[in-house]
Amino acid sequence: MLYKFKSQAAADVIMLEPNAEELLKIIGKAPGATGIITAAQIPQAVAALRQAIAASEAAQAAKNAEAAESAQGDQPAPDEDAVSLRRRAVPFIDLLEQSAAAGKDVVWGV
């Protein structure tokens, strides 16, 4: 299933179900066929996403440092999550920020 996030203030953002549901859980919204993030809720949602991104990057950096210490030779450790949370979340954050600036809600499934 695809999630299509829409706003009257910006272009649509389309995501695969697992990625969209991860972002919705981060911002405290229940994943489902339809939903809304009101303009008033957007600042908290953006802050939650940025906090989750920072935590994810810190965890990845610690993991990479640990792998580098235990790595043999000059071979880099493989990156398990090739697409970071930041890369998945940035289009959604942009949509949220543009919507907040215009005072518009973000909806999906309608």
Side-chain angles (χ1 to χ4, degrees), residues 13-71:
V13 172
I14 300 171
M15 290 186 189
L16 294 173
E17 182 177 11
N19 298 333
E21 288 182 353
E22 177 185 14
L23 297 181
L24 289 172
K25 288 176 185 175
I26 290 170
I27 64 172
K29 291 290 183 176
T34 61
I36 185 169
I37 305 166
T38 65
Q41 295 171 328
I42 291 175
Q44 288 177 310
V46 170
L49 287 167
R50 291 191 189 283
Q51 184 178 11
I53 289 168
S56 173
E57 289 175 345
Q60 187 63 40
K63 185 177 179 181
N64 289 346
E66 182 180 313
E69 288 177 8
S70 65

Side-chain angles (χ1 to χ4, degrees), residues 8-9 11 24 28 30 32 49 51 55-57 81 86 92 94 96 101 103:
Q8 294 177 346
L24 289 172
L49 287 167
Q51 184 178 11
S56 173
E57 289 175 345
D81 188 12
R86 176 181 297 278
F92 187 56
D94 289 343
L96 292 172

